[in-house]
Structures are given as structure tokens and as C-alpha cells.
Amino acid sequence: MASGALSNGHAGHRDSETGTAGEPSASALRNGCTRSRQYNGKSTTEHQKKIFSESFEQPPIYVPVLTYMGYGIVTLFGYLRDFLRSWGLEKCHAAQERKEQKEFVPLYQDFENFYKRNLYMRVRDNWNRPICSVPGPTFDLVERVSDDYNWTFRYTGRVIKDVINMGSYNYLGFAENKGESLNSVAEATMMYGVGVCSTRQEMGNLDKHIQLESLVAQFLGVEAAMTFGMGFATNSMNIPALVGKGCLILSDELNHTSLILGARLSGATIRVFKHNNLQSLEKLLRDAVVNGQPRTHRPWKKILILVEGIYSMEGSMVRLPDIVALKKKYKAYLYLDEAHSIGAVGPTGRGVVEYFSVDPVDVDVLMGTFTKSFGATGGYIAGKKELVDYLRGYSHSAVYAASMPPPIAEQIIRSLKCIMGLDGTTIGIERVRQISASSAFARRMLKKNIGVVVVGFPATPIVESRARFCLSAAHTRQMLDTVLNVLDEMGDYLQFKYSRRSPCVRPELYDESDFEMDD
């Protein structure tokens, strides 16, 4: 591997930002950042205090107790139904082993298949709904019904119009089909076609890809960037290229599946620290530095910290300045996944790095996706030129995957130019400011013409199922008011109002001064 890309020598950090022996200075440890700047009339320190004062109220103890009891009852009925199916008293729609394979190791009889067969199928109509319009602030749904308890669906021919979209990651509203700026995407489609049919290393390296990578690097303020056609693979296929056997990965317990898969594929040792818990992380770092590898006690080849900018399931933000200070102190490396924060967080949309005024140089590997704020697909890795050059030759995604389609690259370019103001308008920064200002459940929400994403086991722990709302700059105040009113109604209907805190006064939520940003 290139010596300057990722090696535990930490050569990339400037002396002015560290004390002797590579340790951070007092100011760096205190603030975790190298630049002191203000925006919106608030200092970086104020932003840090604000974000770390957030808390997540736990429901009363009877809520998880009743949840476990409910799952227990449904599970008992599931075993009863499986017994009836085994004797042919109830038809089984699920996948089964063939009779000649009955003595084989079962492929379909694990617990998750049991859960899907007996629990998930009862509520499957809440997912995978067919959409027949652009996923903007509102969309249209194809109505479907089931006659066999959601094992199969049939379409009624009716379209549910103008459902308020609170489920898409269209944070800045660039997933659209109107506007003159889309002409460049149409022109790219006519000129290049919709597919490349080759990898970047062969015949798939187009001028659009080079232009896009240059623009991404400029946007992030780093030396170089590399783009990939799939956001998930950006993590899962690049982490194994950076670390391997003899390396240590320290991963936040709530990291995305793509980060977890990439860590497992790498062959490195993985240790998990509590979510956003600096004491837990520092304990693991100290132990790794003092004791080294198990049995041999040799120093780890690399220590890589994996975190996300915003954890989409929890809505929490990484404590980036403190983690940067820790990684400097223990000479580790930091891999930051900004899939949900790039474009939507920070005064100009440059993610949590900008939000905390952290120097991009202090983050060794910057990762993000184009599937959220940019209304496209794919992802990027950015950082030092040595890092990017190394990945061009060793990344599985770069060597074996097809290149990003040219129209997708052009869509990202137009979105980036709009955010950066390179298109000669202020539309992009206005959308960034707008998203900053907007800060049997699913079935009833759909009846109210509101589309949301509900998430449950196995994507979450059994007692932590949730509904996830994604705000977009394209949402109007009237749409958000409608959603809030319906949520208030649903909370009463389903008895979901567990909070013991004093309720906010509704007029204060709409104080215009709270939403305006200073220029």
C-alpha cells in the first residue's frame, strides 16, 4: 500500500495542530478542530454544546414489557400455525426444502424465516409499495390489496394521488423531473447513453467521471476523490482494501450494515464501542495501543475508527471534534461515513465536517453517497491523493464494478454546481437553509395521504421499532403542518404519547425567528 495513504505513522497531520510526539495540543483536545469560525451568529463551540445537549427519552418500563409479551404471544401462535402446516391442515406459502432434501441442512428454517413467515407477513403491506411518480414532496401510489394475508397482492387499478412523502431521502429536493437544469442530464443521456458496460480501469473512464471527481474534491476541500456506482458498495468494497489481517477496526455499535459488512470482509479484528460514547472508544484505543494484538502482543498494523456523520435510525450526530482528538492522541485513523449528512448539514451543505468546523485533513477517509441529497445513485471516497490513487488500483468496486452511468454523473454534477452556486443561482444554498429549518401506524398514515417508512425487527431490536420521517427542502410549511397535526392525532389514537416531559407550546414551534438564518 502507498506509504502516505493509510499507515499508522499518521504522516498526514500538520505539526501546528499537534503537540510533541504527535499528541494534540490543549486547544485541539478541547475543541477537536483546527479552525475557529462562526456562522449563523453562533460559534463552533455553541454548535457543539447544542448538539450534545440532545437526549433520547426512554419509554416507560411497561412499554417494552408489553412489547415482549405481544411478540411472545404471536410467536406461540406462529409455532401452532407451523404445526398445522406440517400436518397439511394449513396451506404453507413459504419456501420449503424439497422432499428429497429433507435430510439436508435446512436452508429456510432459521428463526428469521420463522419471523418472516408468521409475523412479517401480517404487516408486509406497509413495505415495498409501488410508486408511480417522481419521489418529490408528494408522490402517487398504486393501490394494491391482498386476499391471502399479504402473501400475494393484486392491483386494483386505482392510483392514490398526492401522498405527502415523508419517507424518501430527497433532502434537498433534487429528485425532480422539472426545471431547466435537467436539460444537461437529458443531453448527457443523448450523448453518452445510459450505460458504460465497462469498468473504470478498462473502457469505462469517461470525462464526466473525471469532471465529477474534481468537483467533489473541490466541494469537500480535499486533494482528490473517487466515485463509485453504488453507495452500499462504496463502504463494503473499499474498507477491505484499506485494512486486513493484523489491523484493528473500532466500530460504533449503530453503524450501517454496509460498514459492518466491509469490516467483516476485510479480515481485520473488529471491536465495537458504545454509540457516541467517548469513554468506551478511548478504553478500546488505550487497550489496543498498550496490549497490541492478542497472543503475540505485536502492535496493530493499523487502527481504523468507523463512524457515521448522522445515524439515520437514531437521528443522532457523531461527536466528531472529540473523536478527531482521540484519533490524534492514539495515532489511529478515522473513516467517516457522511451518507446522510453530506449536502444537508452545515452552512453550505458540506456535512458534519463543516458543521463542527473540523479541518477535512483531520479525517483520513471521507465517504458519502449521492443517493440522498443529490437525487442520484452512487458514492465517493475522498481524502489525500495517495489514498485515492491507491484505491483506484486496489478497490474491488473500482476494478470489477461497472462505471457510473453518464446521466447519473451529470445529475450529481448539476446538483453539486447548484449547491456550490456555480450555476449562477442561489437555489442550492436556499435549499440547504430550508432543510436546516425543517426539523398499525403506517396504514393509518397512508389513509391520511402521508407516506412514511416504518422499521422493525430484524433491522432494529424487537423493542425499538420506529417510524422514520425524512424532511426535504421541497416540503412546504403547509405539508409539514399537516403531518404534525396527523401525528398528534395518531399519537392519541394509538396511545403512543409516552413522554413525561412538559409539552411544548405549539405557537413556539412556528416562531419565524427560529427558522431564519443570518447571511
Side-chain angles (χ1 to χ4, degrees), residues 206-234:
L206 304 181
D207 56 347
K208 283 295 176 185
H209 299 136
I210 298 173
Q211 180 186 359
L212 172 59
E213 290 173 348
S214 175
L215 199 59
V216 170
Q218 179 185 347
F219 180 65
L220 298 175
V222 295
E223 295 179 3
M226 184 177 183
T227 58
F228 304 88
M230 181 181 179
F232 189 98
T234 304

Side-chain angles (χ1 to χ4, degrees), residues 90-138:
E90 180 178 330
K91 184 177 180 181
C92 181
H93 298 273
Q96 302 179 76
E97 289 85 2
R98 292 178 295 178
K99 291 182 178 180
E100 58 268 26
Q101 295 178 321
K102 287 295 183 182
E103 303 301 322
F104 288 23
V105 176
L107 294 176
Y108 307 113
Q109 301 304 316
D110 57 7
F111 174 74
E112 287 194 9
N113 186 262
F114 172 88
Y115 171 87
K116 181 177 180 180
R117 186 169 59 247
N118 295 296
L119 285 82
Y120 169 74
M121 280 298 171
R122 312 294 290 187
V123 294
R124 191 165 74 104
D125 57 305
N126 290 301
W127 289 275
N128 309 317
R129 294 191 181 109
I131 297 172
C132 56
S133 69
V134 64
T138 63

Side-chain angles (χ1 to χ4, degrees), residues 90-398:
E90 180 178 330
K91 184 177 180 181
C92 181
H93 298 273
Q96 302 179 76
E97 289 85 2
R98 292 178 295 178
K99 291 182 178 180
E100 58 268 26
Q101 295 178 321
K102 287 295 183 182
E103 303 301 322
F104 288 23
V105 176
L107 294 176
Y108 307 113
Q109 301 304 316
D110 57 7
F111 174 74
E112 287 194 9
N113 186 262
F114 172 88
Y115 171 87
K116 181 177 180 180
R117 186 169 59 247
N118 295 296
L119 285 82
Y120 169 74
M121 280 298 171
R122 312 294 290 187
V123 294
R124 191 165 74 104
D125 57 305
N126 290 301
W127 289 275
N128 309 317
R129 294 191 181 109
I131 297 172
C132 56
S133 69
V134 64
T138 63
F139 55 67
D140 300 336
L141 291 176
V142 178
E143 186 181 60
R144 62 183 183 180
V145 295
S146 177
D147 302 315
D148 53 6
Y149 301 102
N150 296 334
W151 285 99
T152 61
F153 294 101
R154 60 180 176 84
Y155 299 105
T156 64
R158 177 174 173 262
V159 174
I160 305 174
K161 293 281 190 178
D162 298 326
V163 177
I164 298 178
N165 181 8
M166 300 300 297
S168 295
Y169 301 132
N170 188 20
Y171 297 146
L172 297 183
F174 284 117
E176 55 193 352
N177 58 1
K178 297 179 181 178
E180 294 184 1
S181 61
L182 284 169
N183 292 339
S184 62
V185 179
E187 291 170 1
T189 305
M190 297 299 294
M191 180 176 180
Y192 295 92
V194 295
V196 180
C197 302
S198 183
T199 67
R200 290 288 297 275
Q201 290 193 347
E202 295 173 337
M203 302 296 292
N205 190 30
L206 304 181
D207 56 347
K208 283 295 176 185
H209 299 136
I210 298 173
Q211 180 186 359
L212 172 59
E213 290 173 348
S214 175
L215 199 59
V216 170
Q218 179 185 347
F219 180 65
L220 298 175
V222 295
E223 295 179 3
M226 184 177 183
T227 58
F228 304 88
M230 181 181 179
F232 189 98
T234 304
N235 277 333
S236 61
M237 294 289 100
N238 283 296
I239 293 175
L242 297 174
V243 290
K245 189 176 181 180
C247 300
L248 175 65
I249 292 177
L250 302 180
S251 177
D252 189 290
E253 65 179 347
L254 296 183
N255 274 340
H256 189 262
T257 303
S258 59
L259 289 169
I260 296 172
L261 179 60
R264 290 175 177 173
L265 291 175
S266 71
T269 301
I270 305 171
R271 292 175 183 168
V272 179
F273 62 91
K274 295 179 181 179
H275 175 56
N276 253 350
N277 190 309
L278 298 175
Q279 290 75 23
S280 176
L281 175 58
E282 184 167 20
K283 184 178 182 297
L284 292 176
L285 282 168
R286 188 185 303 114
D287 178 73
V289 171
V290 172
N291 298 320
Q293 301 183 43
R295 295 189 297 274
T296 64
H297 297 291
R298 293 178 179 175
W300 295 100
K301 294 179 181 178
K302 302 186 192 76
I303 300 175
L304 182 64
I305 303 170
L306 296 182
V307 293
E308 295 186 51
I310 289 181
Y311 296 84
S312 62
M313 288 291 184
E314 312 300 319
S316 58
M317 186 179 292
V318 65
R319 301 180 65 176
L320 186 60
D322 299 310
I323 291 179
V324 168
L326 283 178
K327 79 107 180 178
K328 287 183 177 182
K329 180 178 179 180
Y330 293 97
K331 296 181 172 60
Y333 295 100
L334 180 57
Y335 186 111
L336 176 62
D337 179 346
E338 292 225 58
H340 286 272
S341 51
I342 193 66
V345 174
T348 59
R350 286 165 170 83
V352 295
V353 173
E354 182 186 41
Y355 182 88
F356 289 112
S357 293
V358 170
D359 193 327
V361 172
D362 289 335
V363 181
D364 301 282
V365 185
L366 287 162
M367 178 271 174
T369 63
F370 302 119
T371 55
K372 281 82 176 177
S373 297
F374 304 95
T377 61
Y380 66 82
I381 294 287
K384 291 183 176 297
K385 186 176 184 299
E386 297 93 331
L387 167 69
V388 174
D389 289 344
Y390 173 82
L391 288 176
R392 293 191 191 280
Y394 290 90
S395 167
H396 295 83
S397 188

